[in-house]
Amino acid sequence: MDNSSLVVVGSGIKFMSHLTTEAKAYITQSDKVLYLVNEPAMKEWIQKNNKNAESLDPIYTKYPLRIDCYRAITDYILDTLRQQQHVCVVLYGHPAVFAQPALNAVRKAREEGYYAKILPGISAEACLFADLLVDPGSIGCHSFEATDLLIHRRQINPHSHLILWQVGIIGALDHPYAHDNTNGAKVLLSYLNVFYSNEHKVTLYEAAQYPHFEPKIIEFCLKELPDITMTPISTLYIPPTGNATVDHAMLEALGINVRDLR
Ligand SMILES: C[S@@+](CC[C@H](N)C(=O)[O-])C[C@H]1O[C@@H](n2cnc3c(N)ncnc32)[C@H](O)[C@@H]1O
């Protein structure tokens, strides 16, 4: 099937600045471009740079539940690919991060024998590491979708960094244009209190979407969570509480001297 392929690219978070040279080439040179991005300037740029570009927005809003829209998007990508053409799909951020439809499309396309791949992009989390000076490798880092954290009571290690995605639309499985997050934030606070004190300082984060703009960084005490205004692009960062203890049996098994740990 040399005449057809599927390449999923990410446009990053900041308009144009995060678009890689490789992603640009696929957008401009593919037979067909399907896109689902959350920012109008990027939509316009894609439309201008490929005359066969098509927005996936109508499918994204077609059904009441987001999960049904995601399935329909996967099906639409595959139907487009089956028309024997080189298809590029553009999603914002990193296209494999909290973005199931394209991941599923690539998996299914490969099962059907098509050449299909994902190119990495700059995610909101990558921007957070830079803006909040967080190294995920220093003490480990959890990354959870906020509703998923709650409904599965996922375990948190409070000695590691914690990043919560979709924290402004807790419990919303539909299209959260005017979502009231008050109850969700209260439920989240009560769950986080199992691991963190009310006085623990946390940060609400929104990466800049345009060059020369600054990120939104709001620091507050955890107990204030229900009073903080959040949006669908808000991410919550919770720093660690204290240091994890060292397991001396493990040090011995690895031949590490405790004095060499700094
Ligand atoms: C469906 S996910 C998409 C993530 C995207 N694929 C990425 O790689 O960043 C949406 C969530 O990503 C996070 N997000 C998106 N844009 C953001 C921004 N500008 N700043 C901070 N977080 C953002 C928020 O947690 C938001 O609820």
Side-chain angles (χ1 to χ4, degrees):
M1 289 188 255
D2 284 349
N3 54 351
S4 47
S5 63
L6 171 62
V7 178
V8 180
V9 306
S11 59
I13 300 293
K14 191 182 281 181
F15 173 62
M16 290 315 288
S17 319
H18 290 179
L19 197 63
T20 64
T21 310
E22 200 180 14
K24 251 186 220 173
Y26 277 107
I27 293 171
T28 53
Q29 290 166 31
S30 294
D31 299 328
K32 177 86 186 177
V33 174
L34 302 175
Y35 62 91
L36 188 64
V37 296
N38 69 344
E39 181 280 306
M42 194 67 227
K43 292 181 188 185
E44 204 181 310
W45 186 88
I46 296 169
Q47 283 288 356
K48 259 194 196 146
N49 283 275
N50 190 307
K51 62 180 182 355
N52 292 319
E54 181 184 343
S55 169
L56 291 168
D57 285 345
I59 309 180
Y60 182 65
T61 50
K62 195 169 176 185
Y63 304 102
L65 289 180
R66 292 206 307 279
I67 185 98
D68 292 329
C69 301
Y70 291 148
R71 286 194 186 118
I73 288 174
T74 301
D75 290 344
Y76 191 74
I77 293 171
L78 288 164
D79 285 347
T80 309
L81 177 64
R82 289 183 197 116
Q83 289 164 21
Q84 305 306 317
Q85 50 189 341
H86 295 290
V87 180
C88 172
V89 174
V90 191
L91 301 180
Y92 81 91
H94 188 305
V97 173
F98 291 85
Q100 280 295 315
L103 261 179
N104 287 340
V106 168
R107 287 190 186 113
K108 287 186 181 166
R110 284 183 184 174
E111 279 165 22
E112 292 181 24
Y114 290 100
Y115 178 83
K117 68 178 177 182
I118 297 183
L119 301 184
I122 295 183
S123 68
E125 189 178 66
C127 300
L128 182 152
F129 293 149
D131 285 328
L132 303 188
L133 305 182
V134 170
D135 175 1
S138 59
I139 49 171
C141 183
H142 298 287
S143 198
F144 293 118
E145 198 279 334
T147 306
D148 171 83
L149 171 88
L150 294 170
I151 62 180
H152 294 103
R153 288 192 174 272
R154 298 210 185 269
Q155 285 305 301
I156 293 167
N157 180 338
H159 301 309
S160 296
H161 305 285
L162 174 63
I163 294 171
L164 296 182
W165 300 69
Q166 304 206 133
V167 73
I169 52 170
I170 298 171
L173 303 182
D174 54 359
H175 297 281
Y177 300 117
H179 175 67
D180 181 352
N181 206 40
T182 320
N183 181 54
K186 282 184 189 155
V187 177
L188 178 62
L189 172 61
S190 134
Y191 186 64
L192 291 175
N193 276 153
V194 175
F195 307 92
Y196 305 94
S197 78
N198 259 332
E199 305 309 317
H200 193 61
K201 284 272 190 335
V202 302
T203 303
L204 192 82
Y205 172 72
E206 287 180 16
Q209 292 179 292
Y210 300 97
H212 306 300
F213 278 57
E214 293 299 321
K216 190 159 123 188
I217 297 173
I218 304 170
E219 207 188 46
F220 55 95
C221 288
L222 185 57
K223 65 181 176 206
E224 297 168 74
L225 191 66
D227 306 321
I228 300 293
T229 305
M230 303 188 198
T231 76
I233 63 162
S234 297
T235 297
L236 187 70
Y237 167 68
I238 305 188
T241 55
N243 295 321
T245 53
V246 172
D247 185 320
H248 288 270
M250 206 51 100
L251 285 180
E252 201 179 320
L254 295 172
I256 295 174
N257 189 325
V258 71
R259 284 192 301 275
D260 293 338
L261 293 177
R262 289 157 218 240

